[in-house]
Amino acid sequence: MAETPTSQTPNLITKSFNEEDPVTEFDSNTMRRSKPGIKRLLLVLTVLSSFILALPFLLKSIEIYRSPLPFDAIDSLSKDVKSNPLYFPCRFRTMFVGFDEFSVKRLEFEILESMGKLRGYDVVNDGCGCGSSSEVSVTIEFDVNEFAGGSGGDDDNVMDERLHLVLRDGDESESLTGGKVYTVVVVKKDDEVETRVVVGKYRHAWVVGNVLEYDAVTIISDVFVKFFMKAGRKEEGLVHQGQFLPVGADGSVVLSFSLLNANPQDWIYDWDFKRIDEVLLAPVVDALAPIANISVESQVLYHTPKSSFSPWDENLQSYVFSTKDLPFFVNSNEWHLDTSIAAGGRSKVLQFVVYVPSSEEWPLLLQLPNGEISKTNGFISPMWGGVIVWNPPSSLKSLRDKNPVRHMFSPQDLQEIFEVFMGQLRQLLGLNSDYTYVAESHTYKFLASEKGFTEWELDVLSRHHTCSNLISCATTLGSLSTLVLSLPRMIIMDEIGKQVKFSLEAASLAQSNASLGLYDASAGSSRQARALAEDAFFHPSIMSISYYSFEHCFAIYSFSYTQFMASGQPFFLPVSMHIIVAAARELRRYKKEKAKYLAWPVMEKKSN
């Protein structure tokens, strides 16, 4: 009886253990009894939403402002300048005095035919100058005395002024008919043995002598083409070959005159430059005003030896430097010439130097390649300036051991120096220093102008300058267009857009003025077009971000959304990546916990 309870107890314990079996099968790694909370998920999603909402502000903060540029107009100007060279209307007039009546139309045709042979019939690719539609008119006069030229000297100057009053070369006809008028007067005088051709300082020339019609046609064509159209140069249009005038991008030129005393212990020279400026240079500056804004400055330097020592020549009894020594003549270490205060921005400085050698190299002469001594004793360096070597008189040689005395250049010396400088300036501008033209049956004479440049030379410079400015403007604007299109992240300010717009307008106005024959107006407009194009291309905002890239924006300008409120916050990209990763991880955790919560009721239901 006593063993019965004992045998039943294990059965009760086993049954109780079986009733608790569902509880013992609960796995915390795969199941949970409580519902997972969403506080952490909402917190992370709130932070992520704030970043998403701040994204438009971020994009706005790194937005690149680009003023719209007229790319089509720029391309049109570039194509127009390349395919359609600029030509000016020119009118050529010929007056025959003392000739018998002849066919005017026949002579006009013969002159045009002869001009075409000299110039070349393919005027489309000839560069820049008088167009192919230039007119030639022929008239007959019978009053020989009114147009009779003198025998030379002062009579030619008187004749030049008389023709200027009678013909009024282009002063009034320019605004009425368009283009400059160039005139050649042929006066037939049977008693003249030699035929004389005189080219005046205005826009006319005259021929005097017993000249036949055939010879007159040849002379007239030579004057029209070789001088009035080309100013004595071989080619009329040189701008397409890269030969530009030495004018700054802003249309200004600084003429810097320097007097260099190589060794002031030998002798010291000074000059009255005020007289040079007011009397001699003022007419030149006024004459070149339509082409460039010219300013003048001067200085006197001491202890300025040249770079190399010249050898002594026994035959010439002087120290000689040749054209091979010219690259080593200018001593850039001792010649402090680039001290201009007038040159600002992109102005061009032309240096004109008077070099006074020391007694150790006295006298110093320039020997030309043909073995002759230079008459001017000077040389030029294209786009830089010119140098004149001035040797003191021999009487000062014996005084070199004593205390040096300051010597002033005499008015005659200053006049000679200025004439050499004018010849150098003419060469730098693409003209001849002087004209020497000899024909078989007649002689040529060219009258000089007190302004340094004749009217027909200034016309050639104006045409050349206008074309070179338009080519430079089109090239600069084309480069700016290419640069802007290649860098989509470049900032284009409104000022740049206005400069490009005004440059295109000025270029169009220059082309219009050129077609109407308004030389000075076209030169001024082309100069303004080039200056505006250069200002736009070299704008400070462009120069500072010319190499701005998207990688730069991605790495630097990905600011935090709190950057708008405080500085020094972390970058947007690193923080946003952490927020996105945290949100994805929290979402994944929430889904996993919710799955565990849903797995417990299923297990409980199965156990029941």
Side-chain angles (χ1 to χ4, degrees), residues 207 412-413 415 562:
V207 183
Q412 293 79 11
D413 293 335
Q415 182 68 33
T562 56

Side-chain angles (χ1 to χ4, degrees), residues 179-424:
K180 302 292 185 180
V181 180
Y182 304 94
T183 307
V184 175
V185 179
V186 183
V187 181
K188 185 174 184 179
K189 298 180 69 175
D190 297 335
D191 56 345
E192 292 285 344
V193 178
E194 186 181 16
T195 301
R196 298 179 58 253
V197 181
V198 183
V199 181
K201 55 180 175 290
Y202 297 102
R203 297 184 181 91
H204 55 251
W206 64 93
V207 183
V208 180
N210 188 11
V211 59
L212 301 177
E213 293 182 13
Y214 176 80
D215 294 333
V217 171
T218 303
I219 296 173
I220 292 169
S221 303
D222 285 347
V223 174
F224 281 156
V225 176
K226 294 181 179 179
F227 302 107
F228 290 162
M229 296 175 66
K230 299 183 179 181
R233 301 179 301 181
K234 294 182 179 180
E235 299 293 337
E236 179 181 359
L238 298 178
V239 293
H240 290 285
Q241 303 173 9
Q243 298 187 12
F244 295 94
L245 293 177
V247 179
D250 56 354
S252 61
V253 178
V254 178
L255 303 181
S256 179
F257 295 86
S258 301
L259 174 58
L260 306 185
N261 292 275
N263 190 355
Q265 295 180 354
D266 296 332
W267 38 59
I268 300 176
Y269 271 86
D270 203 348
W271 56 10
D272 183 11
F273 192 81
K274 184 177 181 181
R275 178 182 179 276
I276 300 178
D277 188 12
E278 295 178 352
V279 179
L280 302 177
L281 283 175
V284 178
V285 173
D286 293 339
L288 296 177
I291 298 176
N293 295 325
I294 300 179
S295 56
V296 180
E297 64 179 17
S298 66
Q299 61 180 346
V300 179
L301 300 179
Y302 305 94
H303 300 284
T304 54
K306 59 188 183 69
S307 299
S308 59
F309 191 83
S310 301
W312 174 262
D313 191 298
E314 290 292 342
N315 296 327
L316 298 175
Q317 288 297 302
S318 63
Y319 292 91
V320 176
F321 67 101
S322 63
T323 54
K324 297 180 181 179
D325 302 325
L326 298 184
F328 312 100
F329 192 93
V330 177
N331 189 350
S332 58
N333 294 327
E334 302 291 343
W335 296 13
H336 303 290
L337 303 178
D338 298 329
T339 57
S340 174
I341 60 175
R346 292 180 297 277
S347 301
K348 178 65 179 179
V349 180
L350 292 180
Q351 305 287 351
F352 294 94
V353 177
V354 178
Y355 178 76
V356 181
S358 64
S359 61
E360 297 177 354
E361 285 186 297
W362 180 94
L364 183 61
L365 302 179
L366 171 61
Q367 189 174 32
L368 301 177
N370 57 6
E372 297 182 358
I373 298 300
S374 173
K375 296 180 181 179
T376 62
N377 209 29
F379 61 92
I380 66 168
S381 177
M383 303 299 291
W384 182 84
V387 177
I388 301 174
V389 178
W390 194 87
N391 293 296
S394 58
S395 59
L396 297 180
K397 178 73 173 179
S398 60
L399 301 177
R400 65 183 185 274
D401 295 333
K402 300 180 180 180
N403 294 328
V405 179
R406 184 177 297 272
H407 304 277
M408 297 293 296
F409 281 107
S410 64
Q412 293 79 11
D413 293 335
L414 289 179
Q415 182 68 33
E416 294 177 1
I417 292 174
F418 176 76
E419 290 177 357
V420 177
F421 277 152
M422 280 305 306
Q424 293 178 345

